[in-house]
Amino acid sequence: MPDVSFSGERVALSELQERPARYARALERAKVTPGYALCHCNHDRPRRLVIRRYGSMFHLAGWPDDGEHHARGCDFRKDSGGGRPSPGSDATAAIINAQDGLNVHLDAALFQRDATPGTRKRTNATSTRPTRRRAPLLAFLQTLWLSAGLTSWPGTSMARGWGAVNAMLLAGLGADAKINGTPADEVLHVMRRYEESERKAINAEFDSFLARITNDGSVSRRALIVGELGEVADTPYGKSITLRQRRQKYFATAELTGHAAKAYAHAWRAIGDASARVIALLLVERTAKGHLRVVDLAAMLCSSTFLPCDSIHEVAMANRLAVERRAFEKPIRMADGDDMLPDFVLLDRPTVHIEVYGMNGLASYERRKAQKQALRTARGIPAVEWNVDREPLERVALPPAFART
């Protein structure tokens, strides 16, 4: 991971990502003068970086249209295409990747007037303008991962911590992201990596955000929180949810968590599994007694390096690829049009698909498998196939990576 410099300081990017509170003042000064930071991934040609504020902290993002000039493996590297969402012209889309950041129209109310806590209220105002579609929470969570570049692995390291995930998510949001018409930093909090030495600053930032979640009996202001799911526990009145980054309890009904266990079955079963990560996007409101209650949620299964996966078997494959320092990506279908969508694609050699077959014998699954195999054969795309009930993962042969240049 490269070094970055600002305000006369030069530190490893990983150090900044893990301890953003420590460098907040220096980044604030650099944002004023000279107005940018530098990335030293190319030692003889440092590249400018944008300094952005989100809440009370600062983070770095790539300079516009400069991503291809960063070294391969650098977090700020962006190849053309790059697997990230590209700006669209559909004004009715639920999620628009605008030049100044994501513009999201959620299928969830962040502000309610005269509404009973725990309910969702829609308005049916008449308008001549085209009606925007609405995105479910899972689609928004997947878009966050895609925009951040967290669906690909550069193959240059074996680990990615929550500090890096936090920084990449904030950079992927863009400079002027909006959610339901409101600036993202007012309604969305991406949990910080906990650091004892910066506990006061991190807690102060989070407490300031939580203070925006209010309910005076007639108006309820909700908010969204992204973090790694740590525990779902029983309470006398239902369930409590805890994120790994802070031991704050968010209360939920057994009905909501029961629905989540079915809707996000692979993720829910992996809670507590040391080989996997489970990411949660919580829609939270304040109860009349001041407690934080989860109104809705989405859960996403990830590998140990936070790449999204569709099953625990995919987690195992992604973990192996990361350990072996392979460059690869996890395609995510965000719209119709992809007739193949492999489980993974190797990036360190000409296109090779990786398929993980974990539902062998199911008729519809076997039909889809045969269709994809026929398409790859017709297009001349080589594939690595792992039948999880026939051979252990360590026996699956992977093609060697090409030498890095």
Side-chain angles (χ1 to χ4, degrees):
M1 193 167 287
D3 285 356
V4 293
S5 61
F6 46 87
S7 293
E9 297 195 45
R10 179 164 172 164
V11 300
L13 177 59
S14 58
E15 164 71 12
L16 174 63
Q17 291 174 337
E18 295 300 314
R19 298 171 176 82
R22 181 176 299 180
Y23 299 98
R25 291 184 180 179
L27 285 169
E28 186 173 23
R29 291 193 300 268
K31 184 173 174 61
V32 176
T33 304
Y36 56 84
L38 291 173
C39 174
H40 298 274
C41 62
N42 293 310
H43 301 292
D44 56 338
R45 291 177 292 115
R47 313 304 305 183
R48 289 187 179 186
L49 298 172
V50 177
I51 302 173
R52 292 180 183 155
R53 181 169 188 155
Y54 194 94
S56 63
M57 302 292 184
F58 294 83
H59 66 278
L60 301 179
W63 202 260
D65 302 319
D66 191 53
E68 65 185 37
H69 297 297
H70 287 264
R72 294 196 177 279
C74 175
D75 279 11
F76 303 110
R77 170 85 181 190
K78 291 185 182 179
D79 297 308
S80 58
R84 305 188 185 186
S86 55
S89 57
D90 184 0
T92 68
I95 301 177
I96 300 171
N97 185 30
Q99 288 295 110
D100 53 358
L102 295 179
N103 188 315
V104 183
H105 192 211
L106 286 178
D107 185 24
L110 298 177
F111 176 90
Q112 286 202 150
R113 187 182 299 277
D114 298 326
T116 302
T119 65
R120 303 169 70 179
K121 181 179 179 180
R122 299 182 185 275
T123 59
N124 295 312
T126 302
S127 173
T128 58
R129 294 184 301 174
T131 302
R132 279 188 71 180
R133 299 188 292 276
R134 297 172 181 266
L137 293 183
L138 180 60
F140 178 40
L141 187 57
Q142 290 174 327
T143 299
L144 286 176
W145 246 247
L146 194 61
S147 299
L150 286 164
T151 58
S152 63
W153 185 250
T156 53
S157 64
M158 295 171 57
R160 176 186 281 158
W162 183 257
V165 172
N166 173 283
M168 294 171 73
L169 287 174
L170 297 184
L173 275 168
D176 191 27
K178 288 185 170 56
I179 303 173
N180 288 10
T182 302
D185 63 349
E186 295 182 15
V187 293
L188 172 67
H189 185 82
V190 181
M191 296 298 295
R192 299 282 182 182
R193 171 188 174 273
Y194 180 78
E195 183 189 1
E196 179 59 31
S197 63
E198 303 298 331
R199 176 172 54 86
K200 289 184 178 180
I202 293 171
N203 286 345
E205 180 197 35
F206 189 48
D207 290 340
S208 176
F209 179 81
L210 292 182
R212 297 174 180 171
I213 305 175
T214 60
N215 184 353
D216 64 5
S218 61
V219 177
S220 175
R221 298 179 186 272
R222 298 167 170 176
L224 298 158
I225 300 174
V226 175
E228 186 180 351
L229 227 170
E231 183 183 53
V232 179
D234 293 322
T235 74
Y237 306 102
K239 299 285 185 176
S240 68
I241 296 173
T242 306
L243 302 179
R244 289 190 63 183
Q245 288 75 26
R246 175 165 162 165
R247 299 297 297 177
Q248 169 77 50
K249 290 186 181 297
Y250 307 91
F251 297 98
T253 63
E255 180 183 10
L256 176 63
T257 56
H259 171 75
K262 295 178 181 178
Y264 314 108
H266 291 293
W268 216 254
R269 287 196 296 267
I271 297 173
D273 188 326
S275 70
R277 311 280 191 172
V278 180
I279 306 303
L281 173 60
L282 308 179
L283 175 61
V284 178
E285 71 179 5
R286 186 82 62 177
T287 69
K289 294 184 178 180
H291 300 303
L292 294 173
R293 171 166 48 199
V294 180
V295 179
D296 200 359
L297 66 87
M300 183 173 69
L301 177 63
C302 289
S303 70
S304 63
T305 52
F306 295 99
L307 274 88
C309 296
D310 296 322
S311 70
I312 199 65
H313 300 299
E314 285 193 13
V315 167
M317 176 60 81
N319 288 346
R320 175 184 167 180
L321 293 173
V323 167
E324 295 184 10
R325 302 200 176 194
R326 302 302 300 265
F328 67 101
E329 68 176 350
K330 167 63 177 179
I332 294 180
R333 176 180 281 119
M334 299 303 297
D336 294 334
D338 192 322
D339 58 0
M340 195 177 304
L341 203 73
D343 293 327
F344 301 101
V345 178
L346 289 179
L347 302 176
D348 50 19
R349 58 180 299 114
T351 302
V352 174
H353 289 182
I354 296 180
E355 294 286 4
V356 179
Y357 299 137
M359 300 174 66
N360 298 293
L362 185 65
S364 59
Y365 187 82
E366 293 294 344
R367 284 195 299 271
R368 178 59 179 150
K369 183 198 301 185
Q371 291 171 355
K372 293 170 73 174
Q373 289 171 331
L375 285 171
R376 276 196 298 271
T377 299
R379 297 171 187 177
I381 300 174
V384 174
E385 298 180 321
W386 175 33
N387 287 282
V388 302
D389 55 355
R390 298 177 189 172
E391 61 182 330
L393 177 57
E394 60 269 20
R395 292 186 183 176
V396 177
L398 299 172
F402 284 178
R404 299 182 186 276
T405 58

